[in-house]
PDB file of all heavy atoms in Angstrom:
ATOM      1  N   ALA Q   1      32.699   2.298  -0.722  1.00 93.00           N
ATOM      2  CA  ALA Q   1      34.125   2.192  -0.382  1.00 93.00           C
ATOM      3  C   ALA Q   1      34.371   0.978   0.509  1.00 93.00           C
ATOM      4  O   ALA Q   1      35.373   0.256   0.341  1.00 93.00           O
ATOM      5  CB  ALA Q   1      34.588   3.469   0.328  1.00 93.00           C
ATOM      6  N   PHE Q   2      33.455   0.748   1.438  1.00 93.00           N
ATOM      7  CA  PHE Q   2      33.605  -0.415   2.316  1.00 93.00           C
ATOM      8  C   PHE Q   2      33.537  -1.719   1.529  1.00 93.00           C
ATOM      9  O   PHE Q   2      34.295  -2.643   1.798  1.00 93.00           O
ATOM     10  CB  PHE Q   2      32.517  -0.421   3.394  1.00 93.00           C
ATOM     11  CG  PHE Q   2      32.524  -1.672   4.221  1.00 93.00           C
ATOM     12  CD1 PHE Q   2      33.396  -1.813   5.281  1.00 93.00           C
ATOM     13  CD2 PHE Q   2      31.682  -2.739   3.903  1.00 93.00           C
ATOM     14  CE1 PHE Q   2      33.425  -2.986   6.022  1.00 93.00           C
ATOM     15  CE2 PHE Q   2      31.705  -3.905   4.639  1.00 93.00           C
ATOM     16  CZ  PHE Q   2      32.587  -4.031   5.703  1.00 93.00           C
ATOM     17  N   ASN Q   3      32.619  -1.798   0.562  1.00 95.00           N
ATOM     18  CA  ASN Q   3      32.486  -3.034  -0.217  1.00 95.00           C
ATOM     19  C   ASN Q   3      33.777  -3.372  -0.951  1.00 95.00           C
ATOM     20  O   ASN Q   3      34.163  -4.538  -1.045  1.00 95.00           O
ATOM     21  CB  ASN Q   3      31.330  -2.893  -1.212  1.00 95.00           C
ATOM     22  CG  ASN Q   3      29.970  -2.920  -0.533  1.00 95.00           C
ATOM     23  OD1 ASN Q   3      29.837  -3.421   0.582  1.00 95.00           O
ATOM     24  ND2 ASN Q   3      28.968  -2.375  -1.191  1.00 95.00           N
ATOM     25  N   ILE Q   4      34.452  -2.350  -1.479  1.00 94.00           N
ATOM     26  CA  ILE Q   4      35.734  -2.574  -2.149  1.00 94.00           C
ATOM     27  C   ILE Q   4      36.774  -3.064  -1.133  1.00 94.00           C
ATOM     28  O   ILE Q   4      37.505  -4.025  -1.384  1.00 94.00           O
ATOM     29  CB  ILE Q   4      36.212  -1.290  -2.839  1.00 94.00           C
ATOM     30  CG1 ILE Q   4      35.252  -0.920  -3.979  1.00 94.00           C
ATOM     31  CG2 ILE Q   4      37.628  -1.458  -3.368  1.00 94.00           C
ATOM     32  CD1 ILE Q   4      35.543   0.426  -4.610  1.00 94.00           C
ATOM     33  N   LEU Q   5      36.817  -2.410   0.010  1.00 95.00           N
ATOM     34  CA  LEU Q   5      37.756  -2.806   1.054  1.00 95.00           C
ATOM     35  C   LEU Q   5      37.465  -4.215   1.542  1.00 95.00           C
ATOM     36  O   LEU Q   5      38.380  -5.044   1.707  1.00 95.00           O
ATOM     37  CB  LEU Q   5      37.683  -1.819   2.219  1.00 95.00           C
ATOM     38  CG  LEU Q   5      38.502  -2.182   3.470  1.00 95.00           C
ATOM     39  CD1 LEU Q   5      39.988  -2.220   3.148  1.00 95.00           C
ATOM     40  CD2 LEU Q   5      38.216  -1.199   4.596  1.00 95.00           C
ATOM     41  N   ASP Q   6      36.196  -4.527   1.743  1.00 94.00           N
ATOM     42  CA  ASP Q   6      35.807  -5.838   2.251  1.00 94.00           C
ATOM     43  C   ASP Q   6      36.184  -6.946   1.266  1.00 94.00           C
ATOM     44  O   ASP Q   6      36.659  -8.012   1.675  1.00 94.00           O
ATOM     45  CB  ASP Q   6      34.295  -5.848   2.508  1.00 94.00           C
ATOM     46  CG  ASP Q   6      33.843  -7.101   3.236  1.00 94.00           C
ATOM     47  OD1 ASP Q   6      34.458  -7.460   4.250  1.00 94.00           O
ATOM     48  OD2 ASP Q   6      32.868  -7.726   2.778  1.00 94.00           O
ATOM     49  N   ALA Q   7      35.988  -6.694  -0.033  1.00 95.00           N
ATOM     50  CA  ALA Q   7      36.370  -7.684  -1.041  1.00 95.00           C
ATOM     51  C   ALA Q   7      37.876  -7.917  -1.026  1.00 95.00           C
ATOM     52  O   ALA Q   7      38.351  -9.062  -1.136  1.00 95.00           O
ATOM     53  CB  ALA Q   7      35.919  -7.220  -2.421  1.00 95.00           C
ATOM     54  N   GLY Q   8      38.634  -6.828  -0.877  1.00 95.00           N
ATOM     55  CA  GLY Q   8      40.093  -6.968  -0.802  1.00 95.00           C
ATOM     56  C   GLY Q   8      40.542  -7.745   0.416  1.00 95.00           C
ATOM     57  O   GLY Q   8      41.447  -8.593   0.330  1.00 95.00           O
ATOM     58  N   MET Q   9      39.909  -7.509   1.554  1.00 95.00           N
ATOM     59  CA  MET Q   9      40.271  -8.224   2.777  1.00 95.00           C
ATOM     60  C   MET Q   9      39.861  -9.697   2.695  1.00 95.00           C
ATOM     61  O   MET Q   9      40.544 -10.568   3.242  1.00 95.00           O
ATOM     62  CB  MET Q   9      39.618  -7.557   3.983  1.00 95.00           C
ATOM     63  CG  MET Q   9      40.182  -6.185   4.324  1.00 95.00           C
ATOM     64  SD  MET Q   9      41.968  -6.216   4.648  1.00 95.00           S
ATOM     65  CE  MET Q   9      42.051  -7.329   6.050  1.00 95.00           C
ATOM     66  N   THR Q  10      38.750  -9.973   2.000  1.00 95.00           N
ATOM     67  CA  THR Q  10      38.345 -11.367   1.808  1.00 95.00           C
ATOM     68  C   THR Q  10      39.385 -12.107   0.984  1.00 95.00           C
ATOM     69  O   THR Q  10      39.774 -13.242   1.303  1.00 95.00           O
ATOM     70  CB  THR Q  10      36.976 -11.439   1.115  1.00 95.00           C
ATOM     71  OG1 THR Q  10      35.989 -10.819   1.961  1.00 95.00           O
ATOM     72  CG2 THR Q  10      36.567 -12.879   0.853  1.00 95.00           C
ATOM     73  N   ASN Q  11      39.859 -11.476  -0.091  1.00 95.00           N
ATOM     74  CA  ASN Q  11      40.922 -12.084  -0.899  1.00 95.00           C
ATOM     75  C   ASN Q  11      42.194 -12.273  -0.084  1.00 95.00           C
ATOM     76  O   ASN Q  11      42.895 -13.284  -0.236  1.00 95.00           O
ATOM     77  CB  ASN Q  11      41.222 -11.212  -2.124  1.00 95.00           C
ATOM     78  CG  ASN Q  11      40.100 -11.230  -3.143  1.00 95.00           C
ATOM     79  OD1 ASN Q  11      39.324 -12.181  -3.199  1.00 95.00           O
ATOM     80  ND2 ASN Q  11      40.004 -10.185  -3.942  1.00 95.00           N
ATOM     81  N   PHE Q  12      42.466 -11.308   0.780  1.00 96.00           N
ATOM     82  CA  PHE Q  12      43.681 -11.361   1.594  1.00 96.00           C
ATOM     83  C   PHE Q  12      43.639 -12.549   2.562  1.00 96.00           C
ATOM     84  O   PHE Q  12      44.597 -13.316   2.656  1.00 96.00           O
ATOM     85  CB  PHE Q  12      43.816 -10.044   2.355  1.00 96.00           C
ATOM     86  CG  PHE Q  12      45.137  -9.874   3.071  1.00 96.00           C
ATOM     87  CD1 PHE Q  12      46.332 -10.194   2.453  1.00 96.00           C
ATOM     88  CD2 PHE Q  12      45.166  -9.373   4.363  1.00 96.00           C
ATOM     89  CE1 PHE Q  12      47.544 -10.025   3.110  1.00 96.00           C
ATOM     90  CE2 PHE Q  12      46.362  -9.197   5.026  1.00 96.00           C
ATOM     91  CZ  PHE Q  12      47.554  -9.525   4.406  1.00 96.00           C
ATOM     92  N   ILE Q  13      42.528 -12.711   3.274  1.00 96.00           N
ATOM     93  CA  ILE Q  13      42.461 -13.817   4.235  1.00 96.00           C
ATOM     94  C   ILE Q  13      42.417 -15.154   3.514  1.00 96.00           C
ATOM     95  O   ILE Q  13      42.959 -16.157   3.993  1.00 96.00           O
ATOM     96  CB  ILE Q  13      41.249 -13.651   5.189  1.00 96.00           C
ATOM     97  CG1 ILE Q  13      41.321 -14.665   6.350  1.00 96.00           C
ATOM     98  CG2 ILE Q  13      39.934 -13.786   4.449  1.00 96.00           C
ATOM     99  CD1 ILE Q  13      42.573 -14.548   7.198  1.00 96.00           C
ATOM    100  N   ASP Q  14      41.787 -15.190   2.337  1.00 94.00           N
ATOM    101  CA  ASP Q  14      41.781 -16.435   1.559  1.00 94.00           C
ATOM    102  C   ASP Q  14      43.198 -16.829   1.164  1.00 94.00           C
ATOM    103  O   ASP Q  14      43.567 -18.012   1.211  1.00 94.00           O
ATOM    104  CB  ASP Q  14      40.918 -16.279   0.301  1.00 94.00           C
ATOM    105  CG  ASP Q  14      39.429 -16.262   0.607  1.00 94.00           C
ATOM    106  OD1 ASP Q  14      39.055 -16.624   1.734  1.00 94.00           O
ATOM    107  OD2 ASP Q  14      38.643 -15.873  -0.281  1.00 94.00           O
ATOM    108  N   LYS Q  15      44.002 -15.850   0.761  1.00 94.00           N
ATOM    109  CA  LYS Q  15      45.393 -16.126   0.378  1.00 94.00           C
ATOM    110  C   LYS Q  15      46.199 -16.592   1.585  1.00 94.00           C
ATOM    111  O   LYS Q  15      46.985 -17.536   1.488  1.00 94.00           O
ATOM    112  CB  LYS Q  15      46.005 -14.877  -0.249  1.00 94.00           C
ATOM    113  CG  LYS Q  15      47.489 -15.018  -0.607  1.00 94.00           C
ATOM    114  CD  LYS Q  15      47.775 -16.220  -1.478  1.00 94.00           C
ATOM    115  CE  LYS Q  15      47.053 -16.194  -2.779  1.00 94.00           C
ATOM    116  NZ  LYS Q  15      47.410 -17.371  -3.622  1.00 94.00           N
ATOM    117  N   ILE Q  16      46.005 -15.945   2.730  1.00 95.00           N
ATOM    118  CA  ILE Q  16      46.722 -16.351   3.942  1.00 95.00           C
ATOM    119  C   ILE Q  16      46.355 -17.786   4.321  1.00 95.00           C
ATOM    120  O   ILE Q  16      47.233 -18.602   4.633  1.00 95.00           O
ATOM    121  CB  ILE Q  16      46.396 -15.382   5.103  1.00 95.00           C
ATOM    122  CG1 ILE Q  16      47.011 -14.007   4.835  1.00 95.00           C
ATOM    123  CG2 ILE Q  16      46.920 -15.942   6.434  1.00 95.00           C
ATOM    124  CD1 ILE Q  16      46.594 -12.948   5.840  1.00 95.00           C
ATOM    125  N   ASN Q  17      45.069 -18.102   4.283  1.00 94.00           N
ATOM    126  CA  ASN Q  17      44.634 -19.446   4.658  1.00 94.00           C
ATOM    127  C   ASN Q  17      45.112 -20.498   3.669  1.00 94.00           C
ATOM    128  O   ASN Q  17      45.353 -21.653   4.038  1.00 94.00           O
ATOM    129  CB  ASN Q  17      43.111 -19.486   4.774  1.00 94.00           C
ATOM    130  CG  ASN Q  17      42.601 -18.768   6.012  1.00 94.00           C
ATOM    131  OD1 ASN Q  17      43.336 -18.624   6.991  1.00 94.00           O
ATOM    132  ND2 ASN Q  17      41.366 -18.307   5.979  1.00 94.00           N
ATOM    133  N   GLU Q  18      45.250 -20.096   2.417  1.00 91.00           N
ATOM    134  CA  GLU Q  18      45.787 -21.022   1.421  1.00 91.00           C
ATOM    135  C   GLU Q  18      47.257 -21.327   1.698  1.00 91.00           C
ATOM    136  O   GLU Q  18      47.693 -22.477   1.621  1.00 91.00           O
ATOM    137  CB  GLU Q  18      45.642 -20.393   0.027  1.00 91.00           C
ATOM    138  CG  GLU Q  18      46.269 -21.196  -1.099  1.00 91.00           C
ATOM    139  CD  GLU Q  18      46.266 -20.436  -2.408  1.00 91.00           C
ATOM    140  OE1 GLU Q  18      45.255 -19.773  -2.706  1.00 91.00           O
ATOM    141  OE2 GLU Q  18      47.275 -20.486  -3.134  1.00 91.00           O
ATOM    142  N   ILE Q  19      48.021 -20.304   2.053  1.00 92.00           N
ATOM    143  CA  ILE Q  19      49.455 -20.487   2.277  1.00 92.00           C
ATOM    144  C   ILE Q  19      49.741 -21.158   3.612  1.00 92.00           C
ATOM    145  O   ILE Q  19      50.726 -21.889   3.740  1.00 92.00           O
ATOM    146  CB  ILE Q  19      50.183 -19.123   2.209  1.00 92.00           C
ATOM    147  CG1 ILE Q  19      49.988 -18.493   0.842  1.00 92.00           C
ATOM    148  CG2 ILE Q  19      51.671 -19.286   2.484  1.00 92.00           C
ATOM    149  CD1 ILE Q  19      50.609 -17.124   0.707  1.00 92.00           C
ATOM    150  N   LYS Q  20      48.899 -20.930   4.601  1.00 91.00           N
ATOM    151  CA  LYS Q  20      49.203 -21.480   5.925  1.00 91.00           C
ATOM    152  C   LYS Q  20      49.133 -22.999   5.958  1.00 91.00           C
ATOM    153  O   LYS Q  20      49.712 -23.643   6.831  1.00 91.00           O
ATOM    154  CB  LYS Q  20      48.257 -20.896   6.974  1.00 91.00           C
ATOM    155  CG  LYS Q  20      46.871 -21.514   7.020  1.00 91.00           C
ATOM    156  CD  LYS Q  20      46.036 -20.940   8.144  1.00 91.00           C
ATOM    157  CE  LYS Q  20      44.665 -21.614   8.229  1.00 91.00           C
ATOM    158  NZ  LYS Q  20      43.835 -21.066   9.311  1.00 91.00           N
ATOM    159  N   ASN Q  21      48.432 -23.578   4.974  1.00 86.00           N
ATOM    160  CA  ASN Q  21      48.306 -25.038   4.913  1.00 86.00           C
ATOM    161  C   ASN Q  21      49.654 -25.667   4.603  1.00 86.00           C
ATOM    162  O   ASN Q  21      50.315 -25.313   3.631  1.00 86.00           O
ATOM    163  CB  ASN Q  21      47.282 -25.414   3.835  1.00 86.00           C
ATOM    164  CG  ASN Q  21      46.804 -26.839   3.978  1.00 86.00           C
ATOM    165  OD1 ASN Q  21      47.570 -27.728   4.344  1.00 86.00           O
ATOM    166  ND2 ASN Q  21      45.541 -27.059   3.673  1.00 86.00           N
ATOM    167  N   ALA Q  22      50.065 -26.632   5.395  1.00 84.00           N
ATOM    168  CA  ALA Q  22      51.363 -27.278   5.215  1.00 84.00           C
ATOM    169  C   ALA Q  22      51.471 -28.043   3.906  1.00 84.00           C
ATOM    170  O   ALA Q  22      52.579 -28.364   3.453  1.00 84.00           O
ATOM    171  CB  ALA Q  22      51.643 -28.220   6.392  1.00 84.00           C
ATOM    172  N   THR Q  23      50.329 -28.333   3.272  1.00 88.00           N
ATOM    173  CA  THR Q  23      50.379 -29.087   2.018  1.00 88.00           C
ATOM    174  C   THR Q  23      51.092 -28.318   0.912  1.00 88.00           C
ATOM    175  O   THR Q  23      51.545 -28.909  -0.061  1.00 88.00           O
ATOM    176  CB  THR Q  23      48.957 -29.448   1.537  1.00 88.00           C
ATOM    177  OG1 THR Q  23      48.187 -28.244   1.384  1.00 88.00           O
ATOM    178  CG2 THR Q  23      48.263 -30.359   2.536  1.00 88.00           C
ATOM    179  N   LEU Q  24      51.185 -26.998   1.060  1.00 89.00           N
ATOM    180  CA  LEU Q  24      51.929 -26.203   0.072  1.00 89.00           C
ATOM    181  C   LEU Q  24      53.365 -26.693  -0.045  1.00 89.00           C
ATOM    182  O   LEU Q  24      53.950 -26.683  -1.129  1.00 89.00           O
ATOM    183  CB  LEU Q  24      51.905 -24.721   0.485  1.00 89.00           C
ATOM    184  CG  LEU Q  24      52.716 -23.753  -0.385  1.00 89.00           C
ATOM    185  CD1 LEU Q  24      52.092 -23.646  -1.773  1.00 89.00           C
ATOM    186  CD2 LEU Q  24      52.792 -22.382   0.266  1.00 89.00           C
ATOM    187  N   TRP Q  25      53.907 -27.167   1.063  1.00 92.00           N
ATOM    188  CA  TRP Q  25      55.308 -27.592   1.087  1.00 92.00           C
ATOM    189  C   TRP Q  25      55.469 -29.041   0.631  1.00 92.00           C
ATOM    190  O   TRP Q  25      56.591 -29.522   0.482  1.00 92.00           O
ATOM    191  CB  TRP Q  25      55.875 -27.415   2.495  1.00 92.00           C
ATOM    192  CG  TRP Q  25      55.780 -25.998   2.956  1.00 92.00           C
ATOM    193  CD1 TRP Q  25      54.679 -25.382   3.485  1.00 92.00           C
ATOM    194  CD2 TRP Q  25      56.801 -25.012   2.886  1.00 92.00           C
ATOM    195  NE1 TRP Q  25      54.949 -24.068   3.757  1.00 92.00           N
ATOM    196  CE2 TRP Q  25      56.252 -23.809   3.408  1.00 92.00           C
ATOM    197  CE3 TRP Q  25      58.128 -25.019   2.462  1.00 92.00           C
ATOM    198  CZ2 TRP Q  25      56.983 -22.635   3.496  1.00 92.00           C
ATOM    199  CZ3 TRP Q  25      58.865 -23.850   2.546  1.00 92.00           C
ATOM    200  CH2 TRP Q  25      58.293 -22.678   3.058  1.00 92.00           C
ATOM    201  N   ASP Q  26      54.345 -29.725   0.420  1.00 92.00           N
ATOM    202  CA  ASP Q  26      54.408 -31.126  -0.005  1.00 92.00           C
ATOM    203  C   ASP Q  26      54.493 -31.286  -1.521  1.00 92.00           C
ATOM    204  O   ASP Q  26      54.736 -32.392  -2.012  1.00 92.00           O
ATOM    205  CB  ASP Q  26      53.157 -31.883   0.481  1.00 92.00           C
ATOM    206  CG  ASP Q  26      53.103 -31.984   1.991  1.00 92.00           C
ATOM    207  OD1 ASP Q  26      54.163 -31.899   2.634  1.00 92.00           O
ATOM    208  OD2 ASP Q  26      51.987 -32.133   2.529  1.00 92.00           O
ATOM    209  N   GLU Q  27      54.265 -30.206  -2.262  1.00 91.00           N
ATOM    210  CA  GLU Q  27      54.282 -30.313  -3.725  1.00 91.00           C
ATOM    211  C   GLU Q  27      55.674 -30.680  -4.216  1.00 91.00           C
ATOM    212  O   GLU Q  27      56.687 -30.268  -3.649  1.00 91.00           O
ATOM    213  CB  GLU Q  27      53.825 -28.997  -4.367  1.00 91.00           C
ATOM    214  CG  GLU Q  27      52.385 -28.609  -4.052  1.00 91.00           C
ATOM    215  CD  GLU Q  27      51.411 -29.660  -4.533  1.00 91.00           C
ATOM    216  OE1 GLU Q  27      51.573 -30.148  -5.668  1.00 91.00           O
ATOM    217  OE2 GLU Q  27      50.487 -30.005  -3.770  1.00 91.00           O
ATOM    218  N   ARG Q  28      55.714 -31.466  -5.278  1.00 93.00           N
ATOM    219  CA  ARG Q  28      56.979 -31.952  -5.815  1.00 93.00           C
ATOM    220  C   ARG Q  28      57.119 -31.608  -7.296  1.00 93.00           C
ATOM    221  O   ARG Q  28      56.124 -31.511  -8.030  1.00 93.00           O
ATOM    222  CB  ARG Q  28      57.086 -33.476  -5.655  1.00 93.00           C
ATOM    223  CG  ARG Q  28      57.051 -33.949  -4.201  1.00 93.00           C
ATOM    224  CD  ARG Q  28      58.315 -33.532  -3.455  1.00 93.00           C
ATOM    225  NE  ARG Q  28      58.331 -34.029  -2.088  1.00 93.00           N
ATOM    226  CZ  ARG Q  28      58.021 -33.300  -1.022  1.00 93.00           C
ATOM    227  NH1 ARG Q  28      57.656 -32.020  -1.180  1.00 93.00           N
ATOM    228  NH2 ARG Q  28      58.074 -33.818   0.184  1.00 93.00           N
ATOM    229  N   ALA Q  29      58.350 -31.444  -7.732  1.00 93.00           N
ATOM    230  CA  ALA Q  29      58.662 -31.235  -9.141  1.00 93.00           C
ATOM    231  C   ALA Q  29      59.654 -32.308  -9.567  1.00 93.00           C
ATOM    232  O   ALA Q  29      60.685 -32.501  -8.922  1.00 93.00           O
ATOM    233  CB  ALA Q  29      59.265 -29.851  -9.353  1.00 93.00           C
ATOM    234  N   ALA Q  30      59.304 -33.044 -10.626  1.00 95.00           N
ATOM    235  CA  ALA Q  30      60.197 -34.074 -11.169  1.00 95.00           C
ATOM    236  C   ALA Q  30      60.867 -33.510 -12.419  1.00 95.00           C
ATOM    237  O   ALA Q  30      60.189 -33.087 -13.355  1.00 95.00           O
ATOM    238  CB  ALA Q  30      59.424 -35.343 -11.497  1.00 95.00           C
TER     239      ALA Q  30
END
């Protein structure tokens, strides 16, 4: 049960760290 929880939390922190980067706001659409 812990391994499942730990994998989910790893994905969660990875997503947070991906979004916290300001470069997300630099993307452009032409």
Side-chain angles (χ1 to χ4, degrees):
F2 173 82
N3 288 339
I4 294 173
L5 174 63
D6 189 49
M9 291 302 299
T10 298
N11 290 335
F12 189 44
I13 190 59
D14 287 346
K15 176 54 60 178
I16 291 173
N17 287 336
E18 175 188 319
I19 300 177
K20 79 176 183 180
N21 197 324
T23 57
L24 176 67
W25 301 81
D26 294 336
E27 297 300 316
R28 299 291 183 260

